[in-house]
Each structure stands twice: as structure tokens, then as C-alpha cells.
Amino acid sequence: MKITVIGSGYVGTTTALVLANLGHEVIGYDVDTAKVGKLNQGILPFSEPGLDELLQELLSSQRIVFTSDSSSAIKQSEILMISVGTPSTSSGNADLTYLEQVLEVIAAHINAPKIVVTKSTVPIGTNRWMQEQLAAKIDTDQYPVEVISNPEFLREGEALHDSLHPSRTVIGGENSLAIEKVRQLYTLLPTTYFICNYETAEMIKYASNGFLATKISFINEIARLADQMGADIQGVAAGMGMDPRISPHHLYAGIGYGGSCFPKDVDELLHLAREKGLSLHLLKQAKRVNDSQIGWFVQKIESLLPLKGKRVLVLGVTFKEDTDDQRESPGIRLIEQLLDKGVEEIRVIDPTITSLEQIHWSKGFDERGKLKVQVVSEVDAAVTGVHAVLLTTTWKQFAAYPWQEWAGKTESAYLFDGRNFLDPLEMRQYGWHYVGIARGKAT
Ligand SMILES: NC(=O)c1ccc[n+]([C@@H]2O[C@H](COP(=O)([O-])OP(=O)(O)OC[C@H]3O[C@@H](n4cnc5c(N)ncnc54)[C@H](O)[C@@H]3O)[C@@H](O)[C@H]2O)c1
């Protein structure tokens, strides 16, 4: 089938490459000409394991092309798959500006019947609204348009794997022929289809992310108690996760969730409920726990090492490992809280960052704070004279750092592991005063 994927970000590029690899004729369309230029040269504009190779392979066999020409992007394909961003506004609702722009472009260039597939995460009611908008803008007797909701569930860092092995494929719509066409897009993938109406499809996406965010906040709150009681939260989570009704996934205590999805999707659910005069009590508390988790961690650090005037090394700036995505990154929020506590010097290591300008501070970040932060590229010298090392993400290379050698180079060998990533016993053997998230009495 001929497909144009609109929006070449994390989701759009991954989807376009996977669909092309399945044998479809794919155009990737994005308004960002620099991004399009890079993609056509085989350069991925973001970091995602395994995608570079696939991009180069598909380009060299001419099975995919990227363009900023909206007219040809819309005209050439029967299926238009939307994967533009839907970020949060300051009041918590999803900003649909990019989506509205896409509808305008479709209406301006439509030249044949089309199926518009929404991959972007959009508020409940949006696909029906899109169908109405397109019907109002287009002569649908001449060019029928069917909107289909097909939410995306991939995880950054695992995007290719998740797209090739979807946990499920949710297709929401009202027209059975269009639903069947979208189902056929994926017939070569090992997946299970869930066919439903627009609203159900949209809500599956939000409720899934809301549930996963709640699961993380649940284990983080239990970790706060475990920490007081001497229980090892890793063991608690492992033991809980053996129950198939619970499952071990997303049951890792740490410094909280971040990224481009969980925070904004939780906000959107809360916003939607407010609009309907409801209060989602559980989700509100899940958000509250997450918002206070870094503060809890910083308090824990301060109870052992007052931070004012100290030098620290922070490992990890992105919101998680194996991605360059810094949206809503707990690591960045941690750095900002350290500055608030009067830390004198913050050295930062992240595999995706080589300069301070690459760090996307939050809106309230004090410019003077930046003077105290430096990006370190020389791993060996990174800890010389620091009072503590703080780990915020689980990049594999962090585990391979010369921890034994490092311990002797610090001013005081405190190691605060915000992801329970390193082995406490091993680190203590090396001379670190290791503190994880609720690692219990024995560990
Ligand atoms: N990133 C994830 O892990 C993930 C997972 C599941 C679902 N989603 C959802 O998928 C959507 C996309 O997320 P993302 O992380 O890929 O976003 P992104 O910001 O990485 O990419 C969005 C792309 O859309 C382009 N764009 C904006 N306006 C456009 C327009 N009018 N026409 C064409 N292109 C336009 C931007 O230039 C950008 O390249 C969001 O709704 C998100 O919630 C994301």
C-alpha cells in the first residue's frame, strides 16, 4: 500500500521505516526541512537503537523517501498516517495545533479517497472531531475520507523492537472497509488486533499510560515505606511481580517517571475528567507521588550529605537509557533541585550529550545555575574531588565505569543510585558509601 507518514519524530520515523520494511511504499513527510534533509542522507535526527541501519538499508534500496513537500506527500498516498506531536499546554490539556495544521494540509491537497490514520496520542473525542472537520473542509462526495484511530504503544529506546513485536494493534473506527485496510497494513507482524470505536481506542492509550504511571508511583511510594522498615524494594518488587496478576513490568522503584508520554498523558486524563466534573483521585495521587519523588530522594541524600557547597557528578540527563529524549527528564529536574540546595559544582555525563547547550532546562531554570554545571567527556577524571555521584538513568555504559578506581579519587565516596542499577555489595567492596532507593538492611 502507499502510505505517507506525517511527522518524522520518534514515532513517525520508526513507523515509516517498519512499514517500508514490511513492503509498503512509504513517504515520510515533515515540515522540518533540516530533519527531512538528514533523514534522506541516512542520518537519524534522534537516537534510537537499530533504526540507523534500517534507515540506510531502506534508503539504499529506494524503499522509503522523506519530503517536506506537502502537496506530493498528500497526493501520492492512499493512507495518511498522522504522528505529529501532541504536547501538553500549561493547563494540562493536549495541544492539537500540529494536528490542526495537518488537517488543513490534507484538505488543501486531497485528490482522491483517503484513509487518515491517527497514530498520535489524541484526547478522547479527537478522531470523531477530525472526521467532522475533514467532512466540513473537503467535498467528501468526490473524495471520501475515513479517519481511523490507531494509537501507538512503542517505548523509546525499544522503538524498533516494539514496532516489530506489538503487544496489540488497536484500531478504532466506524467504517469496516477502512478498518480492514488498516489491519492489512500490519498483516506480516505478529500481533493481535483489537477493533473498537474511536473513543475506546483513544481511551485505551491514555488509560494504559495512566495505569503504568500509577504502577510506578505505587512502587515508589511503597519504597518510601520500605526504606523506613528495612525491606529491600528490589526484592519486594521481584516477589510481587511473580504473581501474574501483578507482573514484574513497570515495578521498578526509582526517582520517578518522565519522558514525552506518561506526564502529558496523565495530565490530559486529569484535564478531561475535570472538564466532565469528575476527579480521578488515584491518578491525581500518582502524579503527586511522582512530582515529589525527586524531592524525597534529595532529602534522603541531604540526610547523609548536606549538599550546600558540594561538588557532585550526575550520571544521566535523558529521561531514560538508550534515547536522547530529554522531555520531562527526572535527571534534569534532579540537577535543578541540587542547584536549589546550593550545590557548588555539578558535573554531568550522558552518552548523548557533549555540551551544556544540548541540555533542555525547564522553563524556570535560573541562568546563573548553568555556570555551576559542566558536561564532562573525560570519564577517568570525572570524579576527582567530588563529594558524591548520583545516577539517574540506566545506560549500560554506566555499569562499566571504573567504579573501583573512581572510589579512591573522590573527596567523599557517596554513591546515590536513583535507579537501583548498580550492585550495592560490589560498590561497597570498592569503598563506596552506596545508597539506593530502599535497598533494605542486608543490602
Ligand atoms: N515518543 C514516544 O515514545 C511515543 C510513544 C507512543 C505515542 N507517542 C505519541 O506519538 C506522537 C508523536 O510523538 P513523537 O515523540 O514522535 O513526537 P516528536 O516531537 O518526536 O515528532 C513529531 C514530528 O512532527 C513534526 N510535525 C509537527 N507539525 C507537523 C506538521 N504540521 N506536518 C508534518 N510534520 C509535523 C515535527 O517536526 C516532528 O518531527 C505524540 O502524540 C505522542 O504522544 C509517542
Side-chain angles (χ1 to χ4, degrees), residues 96-410:
L96 298 183
T97 309
Y98 303 126
L99 186 73
E100 285 166 4
Q101 289 166 359
V102 172
L103 297 185
E104 292 299 334
V105 165
I106 294 174
H109 299 296
I110 193 154
N111 61 335
K114 310 271 175 193
I115 296 175
V116 174
V117 182
T118 315
K119 276 240 153 253
S120 298
T121 305
V122 293
I124 297 126
T126 305
N127 279 276
R128 195 173 294 284
W129 170 83
M130 287 166 63
Q131 181 75 56
E132 288 160 9
Q133 287 289 305
L134 289 170
K137 291 176 198 292
I138 293 167
D139 176 359
T140 44
D141 289 334
Q142 192 181 7
Y143 303 130
V145 183
E146 280 303 329
V147 174
I148 294 291
S149 167
N150 176 214
E152 179 54 58
F153 298 96
L154 66 75
R155 297 163 295 171
E156 282 175 27
E158 311 268 353
L160 184 56
H161 172 272
D162 289 352
S163 298
L164 292 172
H165 306 89
S167 51
R168 74 288 209 196
T169 301
V170 174
I171 304 177
E174 308 226 301
N175 178 302
S176 51
L177 285 177
I179 289 174
E180 182 52 27
K181 265 247 155 89
V182 174
R183 212 178 59 78
Q184 279 171 15
L185 288 179
Y186 304 110
T187 39
L188 292 176
L189 290 179
T191 188
T192 309
Y193 297 94
F194 190 84
I195 314 291
C196 52
N197 67 14
Y198 289 136
E199 290 77 11
T200 308
E202 292 161 340
M203 198 141 192
I204 287 170
K205 173 64 193 175
Y206 277 105
S208 299
N209 277 356
F211 183 79
L212 293 172
T214 305
K215 206 170 171 190
I216 294 170
S217 281
F218 177 84
I219 200 69
N220 279 338
E221 203 168 42
I222 292 292
R224 296 185 195 184
L225 182 61
D227 195 45
Q228 298 278 323
M229 307 308 292
D232 176 10
I233 196 67
Q234 295 294 99
V236 173
M240 285 172 67
M242 291 163 94
D243 184 333
R245 293 172 302 175
I246 297 174
S247 110
H249 305 291
H250 279 73
L251 210 56
Y252 303 112
I255 55 169
Y257 60 78
S260 68
C261 291
F262 288 180
K264 96 171 159 59
D265 293 352
V266 166
D267 281 349
E268 173 59 28
L269 273 176
L270 293 174
H271 172 82
L272 271 175
R274 261 197 316 274
E275 276 199 329
K276 297 289 169 200
L278 293 170
S279 186
L280 299 180
H281 304 291
L282 191 57
L283 209 56
K284 227 187 239 175
Q285 295 308 325
K287 176 182 164 68
R288 187 175 286 179
V289 169
N290 197 61
D291 288 349
S292 60
Q293 188 67 3
I294 291 171
W296 173 81
F297 186 59
V298 168
Q299 231 174 357
K300 174 102 196 148
I301 297 171
E302 282 236 284
S303 68
L304 297 159
L305 178 76
L307 285 163
K308 196 167 168 46
K310 298 293 192 299
R311 287 180 294 276
V312 302
L313 170 67
V314 174
L315 299 180
V317 168
T318 56
F319 88 95
K320 61 180 253 190
E321 74 288 358
D322 294 333
T323 182
D324 59 350
D325 199 341
Q326 298 177 25
R327 290 177 282 188
E328 301 285 336
S329 167
I332 293 179
R333 283 175 49 216
L334 176 67
I335 293 172
E336 291 172 352
Q337 289 201 21
L338 295 175
L339 288 167
D340 288 346
K341 293 283 176 194
V343 168
E344 196 40 49
E345 183 185 328
I346 302 180
R347 302 174 197 172
V348 172
I349 297 184
D350 187 286
T352 66
I353 283 165
T354 51
S355 76
L356 208 54
E357 289 66 43
Q358 291 171 302
I359 302 181
H360 306 148
W361 304 106
S362 76
K363 282 195 195 93
F365 185 65
D366 179 351
E367 283 294 311
R368 283 169 303 171
K370 277 188 206 165
L371 300 174
K372 297 186 173 176
V373 186
Q374 49 175 293
V375 175
V376 178
S377 49
E378 202 51 59
V379 169
D380 285 345
V383 294
T384 307
V386 300
H387 297 91
V389 177
L390 279 64
L391 184 139
T392 75
T393 52
T394 61
W395 284 91
K396 268 199 233 56
Q397 39 275 67
F398 292 164
Y401 280 169
W403 290 102
Q404 187 161 15
E405 217 178 287
W406 265 11
K409 291 184 175 174
T410 59

Side-chain angles (χ1 to χ4, degrees), residues 232 415 417 421-436 439-443:
D232 176 10
L415 172 52
D417 182 352
F421 181 54
L422 301 167
D423 182 347
L425 298 178
E426 188 186 351
M427 292 301 136
R428 285 185 188 130
Q429 269 171 15
Y430 294 158
W432 290 95
H433 183 58
Y434 176 93
V435 181
R439 291 313 311 269
K441 286 203 166 107
T443 45

